[in-house]
């Protein structure tokens, strides 16, 4: 006689055992900023504690690129030296902002840990920003110091010359020099509170300006515990792999939560290796890194996954890959099925839903979820309270569409120096109103029906139409315009614009002029690639709002 076990029931029992009173990942209910929140009882209280504990991993590799490898011990020594230099040589104090304007590199990670460990706030500027956007970020965050790669240093020099400001800037070579300047420096620390800010990451603004999502030590350390618990969960289900023997591919930008909060940070705590890809995503160098460093875990955006499907991967050894996940952008059930059938390492594909404001995933879908409910984003993760609410803020029954609202220890503090935007997003009792519309099914799984404020997600990057519309409206040939997402096979969506020209505007070459105008003010991924010139005013409702559903831009 055989006995069948419900895998969901088994999973719930394992999680209950790991989070029960006295267990390693015990959950408790405490007051956080005036609201009851579920917390990991045995979490760290400050990020410098994670750095201090990481030295036990010694000569194991923490970060590996195709050019170099840095052990946990070497990393701790470099961060300690850099932290001392930031304090003593550059006057960085607790609460000061240290901005990073750079593509991915080891220096980015070193600066983050050095700043966090002395109580400073790391500001991750989007490396694809235009000079105008970067200038706004500097004005908004008011950093004490900026670290920049060569491309961004040139932008900063242009800003300094135009605005006649003295910008304290360190190049990547300066970071390396300072990371070796004080070889005997002790491990850094700071007397920070759990809810002190640690990181500011920018999201595109619904009203035209990027907003600085501000994350605390509590937020980031809760994410660390979540990932540590996932390692324990895998072990409980029979995975014999020591977490220190896993290697995680880091290929998405460090100015995103997917790479910083959910990869570089927790892997210092678990002793796992980070395989850091440098430069834009290209299949060959990425796959060579996967092969050489024996990558086991890869989280990709759908754009990357599509390029893998189009490439010949037969020359590469991918036998080490055991976990492949999609994140950061919506993906179709059809794409997921192609991945499962065409890529051996994606046979147990998982998906998730999260946002910059939530620091980590809000919900995650395992292979069973995706098989039973294609398109689902799964169940809320441990520690997340989730409600689907109507327009009056009342929870709705399963199967009824509403706004997804979440409360957790992962949720951001708010938007940096923007009380109005914070109050619109984080409301009574610390509930985060995502603005995303979704439905919860009878099994408790979440599916999205639309993204907030007509958000466009192009290759994993958020583009808010209002921001692009604001720039286009500045052009003298534009009477009115609307920006919307257009379906794209590889990127998921591309940015499209419908423009009504002013009377007397020269129509010949208008698209080129507008594209050049937008490129001077916006990051490249926000510049429309699909255009339509309308000969009549945009359709509007009785309140004057443009009726988007009546406007066609699809091919």
């Amino acid at each position: 006689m055989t006995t069948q076990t419900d895998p969901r029931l088994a999973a719930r029992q394992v999680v209950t055992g790991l989070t029960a009173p006295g267990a390693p990942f015990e959950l408790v209910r405490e007051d956080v900023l005036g609201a009851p929140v579920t917390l990991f009882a045995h979490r760290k209280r400050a990020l410098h504690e994670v750095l201090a504990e990481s030295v036990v991993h010694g000569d194991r590799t923490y970060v590996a690129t195709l050019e170099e490898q840095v052990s946990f011990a070497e990393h701790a020594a470099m961060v300690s030296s850099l932290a001392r230099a930031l304090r003593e040589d550059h006057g960085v104090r607790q609460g000061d902002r240290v901005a990073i304007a750079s593509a991915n590199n080891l220096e980015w990670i070193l600066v983050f840990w050095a700043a966090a460990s002395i109580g400073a706030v790391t500001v991750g500027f989007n490396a694809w920003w235009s000079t105008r956007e970067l200038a706004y970020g500097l004005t908004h965050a008011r950093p004490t110091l900026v670290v920049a790669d060569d491309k961004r240093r040139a932008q900063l020099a242009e800003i300094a010359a135009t605005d006649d400001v003295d910008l304290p800037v360190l190049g990547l070579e300066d970071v390396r020099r300072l990371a070796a300047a004080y070889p005997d420096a002790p491990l850094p620390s700071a007397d920070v509170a759990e809810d002190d800010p640690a990181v500011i990451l920018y999201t595109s603004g619904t009203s035209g300006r990027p907003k600085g999502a501000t994350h605390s030590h509590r937020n980031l350390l809760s994410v660390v515990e979540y990932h540590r618990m996932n390692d324990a969960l895998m072990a409980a289900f029979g995975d014999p792999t020591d977490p220190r023997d896993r290697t995680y591919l880091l290929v998405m930008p460090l100015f995103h939560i997917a790479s910083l909060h959910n990869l570089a940070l927790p892997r210092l705590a678990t002793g796992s290796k980070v395989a850091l890809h440098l430069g834009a995503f290209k299949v060959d160098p990425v796959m060579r890194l996967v092969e050489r460093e024996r990558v086991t875990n890869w989280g990709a955006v759908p754009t990357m996954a599509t390029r893998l499907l189009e490439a010949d991967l037969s020359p590469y050894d991918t036998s080490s890959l055991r976990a492949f996940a999609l994140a950061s952008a919506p993906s179709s059930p059809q794409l997921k099925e192609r991945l499962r059938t065409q890529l051996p390492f994606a046979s147990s594909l998982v998906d998730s839903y999260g946002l910059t404001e939530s620091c980590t995933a809000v919900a995650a879908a395992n292979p069973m979820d995706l098989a039973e409910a294609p398109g689902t984003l799964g169940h809320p993760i441990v520690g997340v309270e989730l409600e689907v609410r109507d327009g009056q803020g009342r929870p709705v029954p399963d199967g009824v569409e509403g706004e997804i609202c979440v409360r957790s220890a992962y949720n951001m503090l708010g938007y940096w120096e923007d009380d109005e935007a914070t109050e619109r997003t984080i409301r009574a009792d610390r509930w985060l109103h995502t603005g995303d519309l979704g439905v919860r099914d009878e099994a408790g799984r979440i599916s999205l029906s639309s993204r907030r404020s007509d958000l466009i997600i192009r290759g994993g990057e958020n583009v808010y139409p209002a921001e692009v519309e604001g720039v286009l409206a500045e052009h003298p040939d534009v009477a009115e315009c609307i920006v919307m997402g257009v379906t794209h096979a590889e990127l998921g969506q591309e940015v499209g614009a419908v423009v009504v020209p002013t009377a007397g505007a020269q129509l010949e070459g208008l698209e080129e002029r507008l594209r050049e105008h937008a490129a001077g003010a916006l990051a490249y991924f926000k510049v429309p690639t699909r255009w339509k010139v309308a000969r009549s005013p945009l359709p509007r409702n009785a309140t004057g709002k443009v009726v988007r559903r009546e406007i066609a831009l699809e091919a």
Side-chain angles (χ1 to χ4, degrees):
M1 178 178 179
T2 59
T3 301
Q4 293 187 342
T5 302
D6 181 348
R8 285 196 188 80
L9 177 59
R12 285 196 294 269
Q13 290 173 338
V14 171
V15 171
T16 298
L18 289 172
T19 59
F25 301 97
E26 176 184 355
L27 294 176
V28 294
R29 195 82 164 163
E30 295 180 9
D31 181 273
V32 175
L33 300 174
V37 173
T38 300
L39 303 169
F40 289 104
H42 308 301
R43 66 194 181 279
K44 301 289 186 291
R45 265 52 176 185
L47 285 164
H48 67 79
E49 297 177 57
V50 177
L51 177 69
E53 283 198 356
S54 72
V55 298
V56 303
H57 304 302
D59 293 333
R60 285 179 173 269
T61 301
Y62 171 41
V63 178
T65 70
L66 285 175
E67 285 84 34
E68 66 178 327
Q69 296 199 352
V70 175
S71 72
F72 285 86
E74 290 169 334
H75 172 263
M78 295 170 81
V79 169
S80 297
S81 176
L82 180 58
R84 180 173 174 180
L86 292 180
R87 273 176 166 162
E88 298 183 5
D89 301 347
H90 294 279
V92 176
R93 298 290 177 259
Q94 187 168 323
D96 286 349
R97 272 78 63 208
V98 175
I100 305 175
S102 172
N104 285 3
N105 44 57
L106 176 64
E107 291 84 352
W108 212 115
I109 295 173
L110 294 174
V111 173
F112 163 74
W113 280 112
S117 296
I118 62 174
V121 182
T122 301
V123 182
F125 287 149
N126 190 314
W128 294 327
W129 272 354
S130 67
T131 301
R132 171 166 144 171
E133 290 167 313
L134 183 56
Y136 169 77
L138 293 170
T139 302
H140 183 251
R142 303 188 315 280
T144 298
L145 186 70
V146 182
V147 175
D149 59 15
D150 289 344
K151 181 176 181 180
R152 265 51 65 167
R153 287 182 80 176
Q155 288 181 288
L156 291 167
E158 181 182 342
I159 294 168
T162 302
D163 298 342
D164 192 26
V165 295
D166 182 22
L167 293 171
V169 179
L170 293 179
L172 302 185
E173 68 281 2
D174 298 316
V175 173
R176 289 291 182 130
R177 174 177 54 80
L178 296 175
Y182 300 102
D184 299 322
L187 286 163
S189 63
D191 185 17
V192 295
E194 283 193 84
D195 294 311
D196 283 350
V199 173
I200 299 172
L201 296 183
Y202 281 86
T203 83
S204 295
T206 56
S207 57
R209 287 291 195 182
K211 301 194 296 293
T214 306
H215 304 144
S216 66
H217 287 256
R218 184 196 303 276
N219 294 153
L220 272 64
L221 292 167
S222 295
V223 174
V224 168
E225 287 305 294
Y226 167 64
H227 283 280
R228 289 183 62 242
M229 193 206 72
N230 279 343
D231 287 342
L233 188 61
M234 286 187 280
F237 274 102
D239 187 338
T241 309
D242 185 325
R244 296 175 300 172
D245 293 331
R246 294 194 179 101
T247 299
Y248 292 77
L249 181 65
L250 197 164
V251 69
M252 290 186 277
L254 280 159
F255 52 80
H256 282 325
I257 62 168
S259 287
L260 180 60
H261 298 39
N262 291 276
L263 209 163
L265 198 160
R267 297 312 146 202
L268 192 75
T270 61
S272 310
K273 185 199 301 182
V274 173
L276 174 63
H277 171 66
L278 306 177
F281 181 85
K282 294 181 180 179
V283 171
D284 179 64
V286 168
M287 296 312 297
R288 285 192 286 117
L289 184 62
V290 167
E291 182 178 81
R292 197 188 76 176
E293 298 302 329
R294 306 296 296 163
V295 169
T296 58
N297 295 66
W298 183 350
V301 297
T303 304
M304 297 174 189
T306 300
R307 292 181 185 175
L308 292 176
L309 289 170
E310 296 169 349
D312 177 12
L313 302 184
S314 61
Y316 309 101
D317 179 3
T318 62
S319 60
S320 61
L321 274 168
R322 297 195 295 275
F324 189 81
L326 291 174
S328 301
S331 55
S332 67
Q334 293 80 10
L335 174 61
K336 292 185 179 75
E337 183 58 26
R338 288 182 64 201
L339 290 169
R340 280 190 289 262
T341 57
Q342 296 181 37
L343 299 182
F345 51 82
S347 59
S348 297
L349 187 69
V350 298
D351 201 353
S352 62
Y353 159 61
L355 49 161
T356 303
E357 290 84 349
S358 69
C359 274
T360 189
V362 167
N366 60 34
M368 184 180 298
D369 291 324
L370 295 174
E372 292 184 355
T376 185
L377 293 166
H379 296 82
I381 69 168
V382 170
V384 168
E385 298 173 76
L386 187 149
E387 292 182 354
V388 180
R389 297 182 177 180
D390 63 17
Q392 286 70 49
R394 299 170 301 199
V396 299
D398 292 342
V400 176
E401 183 184 79
E403 182 185 16
I404 297 174
C405 300
V406 296
R407 179 168 65 182
S408 76
Y410 314 117
N411 284 355
M412 68 171 184
L413 292 172
Y415 295 114
W416 181 256
E417 295 192 345
D418 194 337
D419 292 341
E420 182 179 344
T422 299
E423 289 169 5
R424 286 197 305 268
T425 305
I426 298 181
R427 303 183 196 169
D429 289 332
R430 296 289 302 170
W431 280 91
L432 171 66
H433 287 243
T434 67
D436 294 337
L437 298 180
V439 176
R440 194 168 194 164
D441 66 18
E442 65 282 355
R445 293 178 296 235
I446 288 294
S447 298
L448 288 189
S449 49
S450 67
R451 298 297 299 227
R452 50 183 165 167
S453 305
D454 303 301
L455 175 66
I456 302 165
I457 304 183
R458 179 198 180 280
E461 291 293 332
N462 290 353
V463 181
Y464 281 94
E467 182 181 11
V468 184
E469 290 163 358
V471 169
L472 293 179
E474 295 173 358
H475 196 282
D477 289 340
V478 175
E480 58 178 346
C481 63
I482 189 167
V483 171
M484 60 185 66
V486 181
T487 301
H488 188 279
E490 180 179 335
L491 299 171
Q493 289 180 300
E494 60 181 325
V495 182
V498 178
V499 174
V500 178
T502 55
Q506 176 61 48
L507 299 185
E508 184 177 352
L510 177 60
E511 179 182 326
E512 290 74 17
R513 295 197 303 276
L514 293 179
R515 183 183 292 110
E516 182 178 351
H517 169 72
L522 298 168
Y524 82 92
F525 62 86
K526 301 176 186 177
V527 177
T529 51
R530 294 283 301 279
W531 297 83
K532 179 178 179 180
V533 176
R535 303 307 174 97
S536 56
L538 298 176
R540 297 179 182 272
N541 60 20
T543 64
K545 184 177 180 180
V546 175
V547 184
R548 289 177 176 268
R549 65 178 179 274
E550 295 183 11
I551 301 173
L553 192 54
E554 297 280 358

